[in-house]
Amino acid sequence: MNDLDVLRVFCGPDGGGGNALGVVRDGAALPGADARTALAAELGFSETVFLDDAGRGTVDIHTPSVRLPFAGHPLVGLAWLLRSLGRPPRTLRPPAGEVAVDFEGDVTWVRGRVEWVPARTTRRYASVAEVDALPAPPPGEGWLYAWAWQDEAAGVVRARGFPRRGDTVAEDEATGAAAMLLTHELGRPLDIRQGTGSRILTRTHPDGTIAVGGRVRRAGP
């Protein structure tokens, strides 16, 4: 597709890591949930996001097998892309509800509610080494966010995400929604090091929303 952008979202400070994301800026070019899921499956990324109304910020998010009401890394990536095109959004609207957007230097932030996060399990492990040793995916069913403290005093977490949906995504490199859920459960801001080199920042807000932020780069050299 001519209007397909491929980004890496939640990159590390050195520009490495990041979760691949497909962005279709002209959602009208591919209407219909089945066609969109088929494209997401063809691309093979953990998510692909479709911008249906640029003025209102209306978006639709698909994995290779399901449609999602909310997800962090597609919204962070899309917000960054629109800013790079000279159209920085203040709000994006996935099916779950209105998502506030903010920019601080090279970090893009989006704010959502934990009740929007699709069902998944967080599981604490005793050490970073135990998290790193897990197979992809671990045995079992259902979305698993495996984590351990890397530096508890500083709020630094080592994490890995396993959708276990039976599709082509065995491990999710960086997962904003799961980071929101863990932040809610722990009740504190986090600096999450996920996957092979990704970094997700989180914040809590007095209104009950949780912000996830990170750096974005275009895919490729």
Side-chain angles (χ1 to χ4, degrees), residues 31-79:
D34 290 345
R36 292 179 176 193
T37 299
L39 176 63
E42 179 183 343
L43 294 173
F45 306 140
S46 60
E47 282 124 14
T48 297
V49 61
F50 300 82
L51 180 59
D52 286 328
D53 187 326
R56 297 192 71 251
T58 306
V59 303
D60 192 26
I61 304 167
H62 289 257
T63 78
S65 57
V66 298
R67 182 175 184 253
L68 297 178
F70 173 82
H73 109 275
L75 299 176
V76 169
L78 176 60

Side-chain angles (χ1 to χ4, degrees), residues 119-209:
R120 57 195 60 189
T121 298
T122 62
R123 183 173 300 152
R124 181 179 177 179
Y125 288 77
S127 67
V128 169
E130 286 189 19
V131 173
D132 289 342
L134 292 171
E141 298 181 356
W143 227 109
L144 173 67
Y145 201 53
W147 70 279
W149 286 115
Q150 184 169 314
D151 183 339
E152 185 172 0
V156 180
V157 166
R158 170 63 176 143
R160 293 173 68 191
F162 306 102
R164 297 193 298 194
R165 290 184 296 252
D167 59 24
T168 57
V169 181
E171 180 170 354
D172 206 336
E173 171 64 24
T175 317
M180 283 177 55
L181 179 59
L182 185 61
T183 300
H184 171 74
E185 291 177 350
L186 297 177
R188 59 181 291 187
L190 298 175
D191 180 348
I192 299 172
R193 315 300 172 86
Q194 188 174 333
T196 60
S198 300
R199 186 180 187 185
I200 306 170
L201 304 174
T202 71
R203 294 173 177 169
T204 58
H205 288 269
D207 65 356
T209 60

